[in-house]
Amino acid sequence: MSYTYSVVEAENELQIIRDLSEELVFANRIAHGESLLIAHTRLEMRAFFEKTVIDLIMGDALEELWQHALGLFNADRKPNELPDQIRRARSTAAAVEHAALLDELWKELSDIESAPKGKLLSVAGQISALEKRATHFLRSLKNQLQAGLRFFETHEAETAARASEDLISLLAHLPILLSRYYEEHREKVPVTSGHTNRAHRVSDESAVRR
């Protein structure tokens, strides 16, 4: 339950940050165009999310929940299965590209004064896309966990007997959500062919499951 609260809290904080930054950006666009300071602030929050928030919700707390669930339900699953899946999700080609995109946005902001007119708005648009994907990821994670809580509400004392495998499978699916989060930015990245993009997605998701 405490893990679910952590995810909900992270989602709420991210929404507050988005709401505040959007208000500030809107006001500054009217008066001065997109503010470089605001773009920097928003990108700093993206970096905070990628490092601190993801480490929080996909790190020790989730591994502890996994270990507890295995013991509670006497599940025949390897203790390191979930941590290994998360590690693979965070090291796929899509995850590496995602990190590189953040680095590139930092570089573009640092060179913005010599960039063509409208470049700052383009960078701000990319930051907005990252914010929306982060919100979608947290919402998907929260929905998955809430589905797990409903198993307890439905079966109560019979949960272990009736829904243990469903709950273990639900937890095992969380790294796939992380992998999809990293994959989503590829929909916006030009590739040589649609087949190439599809092949990368299948390869990365399969790598997480292995």
Side-chain angles (χ1 to χ4, degrees), residues 57-189:
I57 61 179
M58 302 301 287
D60 292 343
L62 181 54
E63 182 175 352
E64 182 179 340
L65 179 60
W66 172 256
Q67 302 295 345
H68 180 71
L70 294 184
L72 178 64
F73 300 130
N74 194 26
D76 186 22
R77 307 287 282 263
K78 295 180 180 179
N80 63 341
E81 178 182 336
L82 185 71
D84 285 349
Q85 287 181 334
I86 293 172
R87 176 182 54 79
R88 284 193 288 269
R90 300 186 75 172
S91 60
T92 60
V96 172
E97 290 176 13
H98 184 83
L101 174 60
L102 291 175
D103 291 341
E104 180 62 25
L105 289 175
W106 278 119
K107 183 178 184 302
E108 290 186 5
L109 279 183
S110 66
D111 298 337
I112 208 71
E113 290 184 1
S114 59
K117 184 178 180 180
K119 185 63 175 178
L120 183 54
L121 286 175
S122 174
V123 171
Q126 293 182 74
I127 296 172
S128 293
L130 289 172
E131 290 170 342
K132 290 176 182 178
R133 288 198 289 272
T135 299
H136 176 72
F137 165 65
L138 286 176
R139 187 173 297 122
S140 298
L141 194 65
K142 183 184 71 175
N143 290 343
Q144 192 85 345
L145 294 170
Q146 287 176 334
L149 293 177
R150 284 193 290 272
F151 281 117
F152 284 96
E153 294 170 355
T154 300
H155 301 295
E156 298 181 336
E158 299 295 316
T159 300
R162 295 177 178 271
S164 59
E165 187 56 38
D166 290 321
L167 286 164
I168 293 297
S169 296
L170 184 149
L171 288 176
H173 184 71
L174 299 186
I176 300 298
L177 297 181
L178 180 61
S179 180
R180 288 175 181 169
Y181 166 65
Y182 291 133
E183 278 287 345
E184 284 180 350
H185 82 277
R186 280 182 161 174
E187 301 298 329
K188 304 294 183 181
V189 178

Side-chain angles (χ1 to χ4, degrees), residues 32-45:
H32 311 293
E34 179 69 33
S35 164
L36 181 58
L37 176 60
I38 290 176
H40 269 285
T41 301
R42 295 172 70 193
L43 194 53
E44 284 173 358
M45 294 312 303

Side-chain angles (χ1 to χ4, degrees), residues 5-22:
Y5 287 150
S6 296
V7 173
V8 172
E9 183 178 356
E11 182 189 29
N12 290 340
E13 289 179 355
L14 183 63
Q15 187 59 50
I16 290 171
I17 292 167
R18 280 191 62 199
D19 290 345
L20 178 60
S21 66
E22 286 176 0

